[in-house]
Amino acid sequence: MTAGVIGQPIAHSLSPLMMSRWIDAAGLDAIYTPYVATPHMFAPVVMALYRAGLKGLNVTLPHKTEALTLANRISDAADKIGAANLLTFVDGEIHADNTDAVGFISSLRIAGVDPKGKSVLVLGAGGASRAVTYGLKDAGARELAIANRSLGKAREIAREIAPDTEVVGWDNRNGLLDQVDIVVNATSLGLKGQIPLEMEWGQARDSLVAIDTVYTPLETQFLADARNRDLTGIDGLGMLIEQGKPSFEAFFGVAAPQGADIRSLLETKLGEAK
Ligand code: NDP
């Protein structure tokens, strides 16, 4: 059995390491391979791998939107989010799904936070925000607000994914901190090489949970500042691991094995890459 991940660049992807560890732990005769493709070559490469008998592909930047155009069937999550990170090749068809949303919600729950009934502020309105917002709405979050630099993109998410969402200007993002239970960084701020995301955590409720989608570095300034204010901080590595589990099961027909110690494997890899 063969599956893989396709993107450009792809060398930095942690998916091959993670999937290979699960393959070994499950005792499967399978391989999971990275494939690089320019936007121009994405469709031909996917179709060639489909014809070669792969079980499917994870899809990463910059192809997540284009992936939808190749599918015969699109899940509700991928349709609403407008992007697929999973293509499975099933009975002569290509199925598109998005597991980022469910991965994000699982990572919250594993950290002991149930979003049901909670009031959540999402920062950012790109692809990650669309998945996070879809997941939060699906998981029963009570109130949602999105703060983004470009207001139009936040309004689009409110219109297409979560109609009652409040849209807030970027410079007013701290104004809701005394009202919300959870704040999600779904911007690319804080990512290695980018400027950090600064928040005025002094205004936050003591019970506030801050969760980052960024995992390089594992402790962003967003999280470090929240933890210094004694708030709960959750890093983005959990989301990465949890979005991989449904993909593994879709490719290989068995659940990703428990206890494969994926987190410490990935933490070591991220540590080496510093
Ligand atoms: P996009 O490029 O689609 O969106 C980037 C977002 O960041 C936009 O909302 C953009 O605002 C905002 N932004 C960028 N620069 C600034 C700035 N200087 N000031 C204010 N806002 C800014 O990226 P993605 O949504 O695809 O990815 C976002 C993050 O999510 C990435 O860092 C990635 O690491 C993480 N991610 C993590 C996953 C995981 O498994 N843990 C999975 C997927 C993504 P504007 O709209 O105004 O441009």
Side-chain angles (χ1 to χ4, degrees), residues 211-227:
I211 178 163
D212 213 324
T213 60
V214 172
Y215 54 85
T216 46
L218 268 184
E219 180 158 83
T220 55
Q221 187 168 328
F222 170 82
L223 288 183
D225 291 348
R227 287 168 178 153

Side-chain angles (χ1 to χ4, degrees), residues 64 137 255:
K64 286 185 179 189
K137 173 103 183 124

